[in-house]
Amino acid sequence: MSEPDSRHQGECFHCGLPVPPGSAYRVTIDGEPRAMCCPGCQAVAQAIVDGGMEDFYRHRTEKSERPEERIPDFLREVDLYDRPELQKSFVREEAGETREASLILEGIVCAACVWLNERQVKSLDGVLDFRVNYATHRARVRWDPARVQLSDILRAIAAIGYRAHPFDPGRQEQLFKREKKLALRRLTLAGLGAMQVMMIAIAMYIGDYQGMDADIRRFMRWVSLLIATPVVLYSAQAFFAPAWRDLRRRQPGMDVPVSLAIGGAYLASCWATFSGTGEVYFDSVTMFTFFLLTGRYFEMIARHKAGESAEALVKLLPASATRITADGREEVVTVNELAPGDRLRVRPGESVPADGTVVAGESSVDESLLTGESVPRGRAAGDALVGGSVNVESPLEMTVTRVGEDTVLSSIIRLLDRAQGEKPRVGRLADRVAGWFVLALLLLAVGVGGFWWWHEPESAFWITLSVLVVTCPCALSLATPAALTAATGRLTRLGLLTTRGHALETLARVTDVVLDKTGTLTFGELGLAAIRPEPGENRERLWRVAAALEAGSEHPIARAIRRDAPALGPAEAAHAVRQRPGLGIEGSVGGRRYRVGNARFVAEWVPGLEAAGREGVAEVLLVDEQRLLGRFELDDALRPEAAEAVDGLRRRGLRVHLLSGDAAATVDRVAGELGIEEHRGGLLPDDKLARIRELQDDGAVVAMVGDGINDAPVLAGAQVSLAMGGGTQLAHASADLVLLSENLLHLPEGIDVARRTLRIIRQNLGWAVAYNVTAVPLAAAGFVAPWMAAIGMSLSSLLVVLNALRLR
C-alpha cells in the first residue's frame, strides 16, 4: 500500500472526509496509526483490522462510505443500547459483571452466515459467548462490560454486512414478513424472466434445425439479454451479496460457486451477444436462478415452521397489564413498566404478564405452552403464577415478584436458545466438512473446465457451470440445525425443555436411566396415605381432631394431616396447645385432651403403644388420656404415572436404577412397587456419583433424573441429565434437559424423539454425501445440464429440511 501523501493527511483514512481539528480517533492499520473522522469510522475500521481483513485497505479503489452514510439510523443510535436504563428491558445481569442479551440478526440466509457472525463476534475481547439460532435468526450474547460494550458488538456485526438489534418479538415478526416478501419478489421476477427467456430459447433451438435468419437470431439474443438482466441484477442478489461477504472474509460458502456460475454465464452470454459470436446461456442463467430461489424460499418457510415452538413461547407475554394503584384505581401499563411489588388484576382469558403470587381470587390457569400439560391447574391465594400462563375462569389479583429477563419464561427461552445454538459433535463435523467442501469444489471446477476446454471446447463452459451449481454443501450444514430445531420444538410442546446442544444426541444413546426418589418418582412432600381408627371410632372425627391440633404447626406432618381435612365446627377449635419438638402436639378439643405424635410421645399417656405401620411409612398416633384412638399413616406418595414410565423405559431396552438418600427400607418398598431391580438407599450425593461412575466405567451411557440441590453434582456427572420442573434453580443449571411438565411419561417419549432425531440427522448427512458423490461425477462427465443442476441442488437442501420437519 502506498504511503499517504500530504493531500490525505487531513482526511479520514476510512471514508476520505476531512478530519475535524483536534480529533483523537485513531486506528492502527499496517503498523501505522491512521486518523479517523468519527467514532463510527473508528469502530468499523477497528472491526476490519481485528477480523484480519487489512487487505481491504490495500486493494480498495476508493474510500469507503462513512458508516453513518451506509446505515445512518443504526450506527448513530447504537450507543443508546449501552445505557443502563435501556438495557433493563432486554439485558440480564449474571453473577459478577457478566451480562447476557438476546439479539435479532438481519441478513442471515444460510448456515455459513451463522458461522461467520459467530466467528466475528467471538473474536472481540470481552465477548464470553455468542450463538446464533439459524431457525429464528435470534442470537444470544454474553459479554463482560468492563472490556467490551454492547454497541461494540453491534458495530462488529455491522462491519461484516449484517445488522443486529435487541430482540423484540414484534420486530422479529416484521423481519420474517419482510424476508418472505423480498424472497417472493425475487422469485416472481426470476420466474417471469425464466419463462420468457425459455420461450425465446426454444424458438432458437428449433431454428437451429429448421433454419433462422441471422438478424432474427441476433434480435432474439438482445431480447433475452434485456429480460435476463433484471433477473441477474435483482433476483440473483440473494447469492451475490452473501458471496461477496464470504470472499471478503476469505471463507467461501456455497453462494460463491453459485454466484460464479450465474455471473460467469451471464457475462459470457453478454459478450456473445455484443460480438455476435459464440453461445448464449441466458436460459440457463434465469432458470437456475429461479430454481435456486424456489428451493431457498421453501427452505425459509420450513425454517420458520421449525422455529414456531420457540416463537410461540416468546409471544406468550401480553403487551400490556392492568395495574392496581395504591388508591385502588386501575391503570393499563405496558409490561416493560412493571416492577416487583406491583399489584395486578388478571381477568379471565388474559395472559399473566409477569411472575408473581396470587393475593386474591381463585381460578384455574392454563400453562400448556410452558409445561406441555393440557389440564389447567387451580390457583388460589398464596399460589405462584408464571408469566405467560392464561387465566381461565375467574379474576385474580397478583403481586409481581419477577419481571423482564428474571422471569421463568425468559429463563426457558434462554435455555432453548442455548440448546438450538449449540451443535452436537456430528453437527460440528459436518460444518468443518462443508467449509473444505466448497474449496475443493472450486478447485474441481477449474480442473473440469480445463479438461473439457482441452478435449471439447464447445462443451467446457456449460459443464463447468453444472459442476459449480450441482454440488450442495448447504445440505451438509443444514442437516443438523434443521433437525435440532424441529426436535427441540417437539420436546418443548411435550414439556421437556432442551438446554444443551448435545442433549438429544446423548439421550438417543442412553443405556441406563438413574432415578432419584424424592421429588422425582414421588411428589417430594408428605401426604396422608391412610387413617386407621380403632374399633368404635369415627374416621372423619379423628381427622378433624388431629387437624385442629395441628392447625398452628408448619411441620410437614402437620401440613399433610391438615391438607384436604374435613371442615372444623365452631366447637372443634383446639385450646391449650403445646408442641413438643420432634415428638408431637397435645391440646384440648371440645373439652377433651388429646395427643398426636410418635409412639414414644403418646406412650407417656397410654403405656405400651408401638408403631405398627408398614415398613418405610411414617406413622403418628392419636390418643386421649385413656386409650389409643387411631393411627395416621403418612408417605411421600408416588406420582401416578411413575410405574407406567418405568415400564416404558424398560420396554425401550434401558436399564433403570433407583438411587436415593432415603432410608433403605423406604427405597426397597418403592422399588418393589415399581419393579426396579437395581436400587440403593441411604446414599449421600458422593455415593450416588460414585455409583454413576461405576456404571460409566462398565461402558454405560447414563441419564440421571433428579430435582433437589443435592442432586446437582450427580446431574453434572452423568452423560445427560434431566431436572424436574419443580426442582431447584441449581438443578436446572446443572441439567441438560428440564422436565417442565413433571410428567414422567414424557421421559420415554423424549427418548423416542431423541432417537428419531439422531436417525434423521444421519439420514440427512447420508443423503447429502450420497447426492454429492453421485451428482459431481455426472456433472463433470457432461450428463447434467445447468438447469438440471439447479433443480438438484435446490431439492437436496429442501429434502434435508423437510425430512427434519417429520420430527414435529
Side-chain angles (χ1 to χ4, degrees), residues 354-551:
D355 290 359
T357 306
V358 178
V359 293
E362 188 171 342
S363 184
S364 296
V365 174
D366 182 358
E367 298 178 349
S368 57
L369 282 177
L370 290 168
T371 66
E373 286 297 305
S374 58
V375 179
R377 298 180 177 181
R379 291 290 184 267
D383 291 338
L385 287 175
V386 178
S389 54
V390 179
N391 184 16
V392 176
E393 297 168 339
S394 305
L396 292 173
E397 289 187 18
M398 63 174 288
T399 299
V400 175
T401 56
R402 290 188 295 267
V403 296
E405 289 292 303
D406 295 327
T407 62
V408 170
L409 180 59
S410 293
S411 67
I412 290 174
I413 293 170
R414 279 197 303 275
L415 293 174
L416 194 58
D417 280 345
R418 181 179 71 182
Q420 293 181 346
E422 293 178 354
K423 295 184 179 71
R425 185 177 61 254
V426 65
R428 292 193 295 271
L429 176 62
D431 284 349
R432 287 196 296 272
V433 170
W436 285 104
F437 187 86
V438 173
L439 183 59
L441 165 63
L442 295 174
L443 295 175
L444 176 66
V446 172
V448 169
F451 173 85
W452 283 100
W453 184 263
W454 181 264
H455 290 86
E456 194 176 316
E458 63 274 14
S459 301
F461 192 74
W462 72 263
I463 290 176
T464 305
L465 290 184
S466 296
V467 171
L468 286 171
V469 174
V470 77
T471 49
C472 190
C474 283
L476 282 172
S477 296
L478 285 172
T480 300
L484 285 181
T485 301
T488 50
R490 166 72 178 139
L491 290 176
T492 300
R493 288 193 296 275
L494 279 177
L496 188 58
L497 177 67
T498 308
T499 69
R500 299 282 182 186
H502 76 87
L504 285 170
E505 182 183 15
T506 311
L507 190 62
R509 297 186 292 106
V510 160
T511 60
D512 293 67
V513 178
V514 175
L515 301 168
D516 181 41
K517 184 186 82 69
T518 306
T520 302
L521 291 172
T522 68
F523 287 103
E525 58 181 8
L526 283 176
L528 187 58
I531 301 175
R532 305 189 186 282
E534 290 295 296
E537 296 294 333
N538 180 273
R539 178 182 182 277
E540 299 297 316
R541 180 178 175 280
L542 295 184
W543 197 355
R544 288 199 300 271
V545 170
L549 292 171
E550 301 281 13

Side-chain angles (χ1 to χ4, degrees), residues 192-248:
L192 291 173
M195 286 189 292
Q196 299 300 319
V197 174
M198 202 61 209
M199 285 191 293
I200 296 173
I202 290 172
M204 294 173 69
Y205 293 147
I206 294 174
D208 288 340
Y209 294 98
Q210 298 183 358
M212 177 179 286
D213 184 78
D215 289 336
I216 295 177
R217 177 177 293 278
R218 192 160 42 249
F219 174 73
M220 285 188 171
R221 285 190 171 194
W222 279 101
V223 173
S224 297
L225 169 62
L226 185 65
I227 297 173
T229 297
V231 174
V232 172
L233 296 182
Y234 181 71
S235 297
Q237 279 298 309
F239 311 111
F240 291 147
W244 176 239
R245 274 200 305 260
D246 293 344
L247 289 174
R248 284 190 304 171

Side-chain angles (χ1 to χ4, degrees), residues 7 53 72 102 198 212 275 308 310 316 335 355 396 446 543 561 576 608 642 693 748 762:
R7 290 181 297 114
M53 297 183 293
S102 185
M198 202 61 209
M212 177 179 286
S275 65
E308 277 178 359
L316 285 180
V335 170
D355 290 359
L396 292 173
V446 172
W543 197 355
I561 290 176
R693 295 287 186 236
R762 287 169 176 163

Side-chain angles (χ1 to χ4, degrees), residues 107 245 273 346 389 414 449 499 572 666 715 753 779:
R245 274 200 305 260
T273 302
V346 185
S389 54
R414 279 197 303 275
T499 69
E572 292 179 313
T666 303
L715 290 169
V753 172

